[in-house]
Amino acid sequence: ETYREEIPEREFDEGAALPYLGGEREIVVERRASSRVAENTLRLANHHVEQTSIKRAVETLYRRKAREIFEKRANRFADEMGVSYKGIDIRRQRTKWGSCSTSGTLGFNWRLLMAPMEVVEYVVIHELAHLREPNHTEAFWLLVEQQDPNYEEHSEWLAKHGTQLIFSEEDL
């Protein structure tokens, strides 16, 4: 019950603000070819909103941006860590932020885009570290710490603020 009380009440209306990479972005619906994230706004394509809803258009935008951001960060950190991964899946997991399969596919929860970038990067680093160390051993945490010296702070942020990353009741 306490968990449910911490879940934010989101408004999916034009002019409402939603979290994006640790900041707030205002929803704008306009005539445009495709939706995009701008400096302080989520600019949604009117035709997409008319076909679905503002909520679905935002989720689609977040999922698209999640793929771009996770791939860019995974490529960067994989090079630095000397590991390679097979691919990336963008998912709607209820309890996990990331995963790493034995085949080398990384899975990330698109709702992480509502967290600060350093938290996103921590999750990417964490999953990449599993490619070298499958379990949470001391060697695993040393590998994570080499890339993210503040990983404990970022992990604690997720534990403390994870409920703030719930997009809607469908996530429960």
Side-chain angles (χ1 to χ4, degrees):
E1 194 58 39
T2 303
Y3 179 79
R4 287 188 179 277
E5 290 173 8
E6 293 176 6
I7 296 170
E9 290 185 28
R10 302 216 189 277
E11 293 182 23
F12 297 96
D13 300 311
E14 190 164 9
L18 294 174
Y20 183 83
L21 295 178
E24 293 283 318
R25 305 287 171 112
E26 180 185 349
I27 297 171
V28 175
V29 179
E30 61 189 5
R31 187 178 169 122
R32 56 180 310 105
S34 63
S35 299
R36 72 180 188 93
V37 176
E39 188 174 323
N40 296 310
T41 57
L42 301 170
R43 305 191 84 74
L44 305 178
N46 188 49
H47 69 277
H48 191 200
V49 170
E50 289 174 352
Q51 292 170 355
T52 59
S53 66
I54 288 177
K55 182 178 170 184
R56 287 290 154 243
V58 170
E59 181 177 338
T60 300
L61 177 59
Y62 274 50
R63 284 177 173 272
R64 191 179 82 228
K65 295 302 292 180
R67 176 160 301 284
E68 290 174 23
I69 289 167
F70 290 129
E71 284 180 353
K72 185 175 180 179
R73 293 303 191 272
N75 289 339
R76 175 184 146 204
F77 290 118
D79 285 346
E80 291 177 12
M81 296 168 74
V83 297
S84 61
Y85 63 94
K86 184 178 178 183
I88 291 179
D89 289 335
I90 303 301
R91 300 183 176 146
R92 174 196 287 250
Q93 298 147 304
R94 291 181 182 208
T95 58
K96 285 183 159 185
W97 299 114
S99 61
C100 178
S101 73
T102 54
S103 67
T105 299
L106 306 176
F108 296 106
N109 191 322
W110 65 267
R111 293 184 293 121
L112 268 172
L113 259 59
M114 294 186 278
M117 181 58 85
E118 58 269 18
V119 174
V120 170
E121 290 179 342
Y122 157 70
V123 174
V124 171
I125 291 164
H126 182 113
E127 298 312 330
L128 287 169
H130 280 305
L131 295 169
R132 187 171 296 155
E133 296 288 336
N135 300 309
H136 294 120
T137 61
E138 186 177 335
F140 170 87
W141 291 111
L142 285 172
L143 186 59
V144 171
E145 185 177 35
Q146 286 175 352
Q147 292 301 314
D148 182 3
N150 298 317
Y151 78 91
E152 289 173 322
E153 178 183 315
H154 300 143
S155 177
E156 287 172 20
W157 189 97
L158 270 176
K160 186 175 180 181
H161 300 285
T163 54
Q164 298 304 303
L165 307 183
I166 292 177
F167 189 66
S168 69
E169 289 183 11
E170 294 170 13
D171 295 334
L172 301 176

